[in-house]
């Protein structure tokens, strides 16, 4: 009896297995492969046209002078100091696009299974905590894979211009990868929570849009009425993104505590909802 108890999988093992299953399920199904191809095509267009062209423009001294004259000398000064200009443009685009992608990609963590009744079946074999955090971790793996693909493509774009930028490009890509993964965490956590409440992925996405609009309006009204409550803006995931645009390298990690704290709070709420939900 004791040997059976020792050999039984732990909660961490269940979380890890569920996370790996989420990753394989996403990219082994027909719909997942089609979504991946569409994602690659969209980012290919973004890289070849906006990012490549913009990276050439920001290298021009006249453009730097124009931006400094219009927005001020320190508004985007760090953006012009990137060693690899392609990654400077990628950084700006990815900061806003990946959070948006993560909302729609991770919208169906629980809702469809809950409607089909399979979520109750799975919960009989693993704990609700393992199920909740396993699916959340699986979505992190998926987002990390997608971010990695775009960073590799951007590195190849850099190499096509100057092979001597290989090492700076790799170093920059690693820093961007870590930052972007941290940035999308509260979005994935929010969708984990909303997918427990919603009846479908589409409904969870709609709930997310409504939530962001309502919370944004409330925060704006409170800040207008009570200017001393600017910190309320940090209740909303992505509130630090506008400040992160004008950063580079390790300096971007100074904003990491904001999404990490947001993620922890949302996950705690999601865990409570998971425990009390009728699956």
């Amino acid at each position: 009896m004791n040997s059976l108890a020792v050999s039984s999988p732990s909660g961490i093992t269940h979380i890890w297995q569920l996370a790996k299953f989420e990753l394989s399920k996403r990219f082994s199904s027909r719909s997942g492969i089609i979504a991946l191809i569409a994602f690659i095509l969209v980012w290919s267009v973004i890289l070849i046209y906006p990012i490549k062209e913009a990276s050439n423009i920001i290298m021009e001294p006249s453009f730097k002078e124009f931006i400094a004259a219009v927005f001020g000398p320190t508004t985007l000064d760090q953006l012009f100091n990137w060693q690899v200009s392609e990654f400077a443009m990628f950084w700006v685009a990815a900061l806003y696009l990946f959070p948006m992608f993560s909302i729609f990609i991770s919208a169906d963590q629980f809702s469809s299974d809950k409607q089909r009744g399979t979520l109750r079946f799975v919960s009989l074999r693993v704990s609700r905590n393992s199920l909740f955090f396993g699916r959340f971790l699986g979505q992190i793996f998926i987002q990390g894979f997608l971010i990695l693909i775009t960073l590799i493509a951007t590195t190849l774009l850099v190499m096509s211009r100057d092979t001597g930028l290989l090492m700076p490009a790799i170093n920059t890509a690693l820093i961007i990868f870590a930052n972007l993964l941290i940035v999308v965490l509260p979005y994935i956590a929010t969708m984990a929570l909303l997918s427990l409440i919603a009846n479908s992925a589409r409904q969870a996405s709609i709930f997310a849009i409504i939530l962001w609009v309502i919370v944004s309006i409330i925060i704006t009204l409170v800040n207008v009425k009570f200017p001393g409550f600017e910190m309320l803006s940090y209740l909303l995931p992505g509130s630090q993104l506008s400040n992160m645009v004008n950063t580079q390298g390790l300096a971007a990690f100074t904003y990491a505590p904001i999404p990490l704290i947001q993620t922890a709070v949302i996950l705690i709420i999601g865990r409570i909802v998971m425990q009390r939900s009728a699956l």
Side-chain angles (χ1 to χ4, degrees):
M1 187 73 177
N2 290 335
S3 61
L4 289 174
V6 172
S7 62
S8 62
S10 65
I12 295 177
T13 302
H14 282 148
I15 290 173
W16 181 252
Q17 291 173 344
L18 286 166
K20 290 193 298 181
F21 177 73
E22 283 296 298
L23 179 62
S24 62
K25 182 179 71 174
R26 171 65 68 173
F27 298 117
S28 61
S29 64
R30 181 180 178 183
S31 60
I33 293 174
I34 293 174
L36 178 61
I37 293 173
F39 177 85
I40 292 174
L41 291 175
V42 169
W43 267 102
S44 297
V45 173
I46 294 173
L47 288 173
I48 294 172
Y49 294 103
I51 290 180
K52 184 178 181 180
E53 295 301 322
S55 63
N56 293 327
I57 295 174
I58 67 169
M59 296 174 67
E60 297 293 332
S62 58
F63 181 74
K64 297 179 183 179
E65 295 173 359
F66 171 75
I67 294 297
V70 174
F71 298 103
T74 60
T75 303
L76 295 173
D77 58 325
Q78 293 299 316
L79 196 62
F80 294 119
N81 292 332
W82 285 63
Q83 188 173 358
V84 184
S85 57
E86 286 85 355
F87 275 114
M89 292 297 96
F90 175 89
W91 174 245
V92 176
L95 274 178
Y96 292 99
L97 290 178
F98 271 106
M100 182 179 66
F101 289 150
S102 66
I103 289 176
F104 297 103
I105 292 173
S106 60
D108 194 18
Q109 295 182 52
F110 301 105
S111 54
S112 294
D113 285 339
K114 186 176 67 174
Q115 285 297 104
R116 290 193 296 263
T118 54
L119 200 60
R120 180 180 298 177
F121 175 78
V122 176
S123 66
L124 294 175
R125 284 158 174 75
V126 297
S127 68
R128 294 194 178 198
N129 281 339
S130 297
L131 181 57
F132 180 76
F133 291 108
R135 295 246 172 128
F136 171 73
L137 182 60
Q139 293 299 321
I140 295 176
F141 287 166
I142 293 170
Q143 292 295 325
F145 179 73
L146 296 177
I147 294 171
L148 184 61
I149 289 176
T150 59
L151 288 171
I152 291 174
T154 307
T155 302
L156 294 176
L157 182 65
V158 173
M159 293 297 294
S160 67
R161 177 172 66 87
D162 187 352
T163 56
L165 291 173
L166 176 60
M167 290 310 298
I170 292 176
N171 293 334
T172 303
L174 291 174
I175 293 173
I176 291 177
F177 176 82
N179 272 288
L180 288 179
L181 203 58
I182 292 172
V183 163
V184 300
L185 288 180
Y187 293 89
I188 300 174
T190 300
M191 298 316 296
L193 171 59
L194 293 178
S195 65
L196 285 171
I197 302 171
N199 295 322
S200 66
R202 179 178 297 179
Q203 191 177 71
S205 300
I206 294 173
F207 284 169
I209 295 171
I210 294 173
L211 176 66
W212 254 271
V213 171
I214 292 176
V215 175
S216 298
I217 292 174
I218 292 174
I219 290 174
T220 301
L221 293 176
V222 171
N223 286 335
V224 170
K225 191 71 174 179
F226 307 100
F229 287 85
E230 290 88 355
M231 293 295 292
L232 281 177
S233 61
Y234 292 122
L235 293 175
L236 192 67
S239 56
Q240 81 286 1
L241 295 182
S242 59
N243 294 324
M244 292 183 69
V245 169
N246 192 38
T247 58
Q248 66 162 321
L250 298 176
F253 285 108
T254 58
Y255 294 95
I258 298 172
L260 291 176
I261 294 172
Q262 291 171 341
T263 303
V265 172
I266 297 169
L267 287 178
I268 291 172
I269 298 173
R271 179 186 176 278
I272 294 172
V273 174
M274 183 71 169
Q275 294 292 337
R276 297 183 178 181
S277 294
L279 303 181

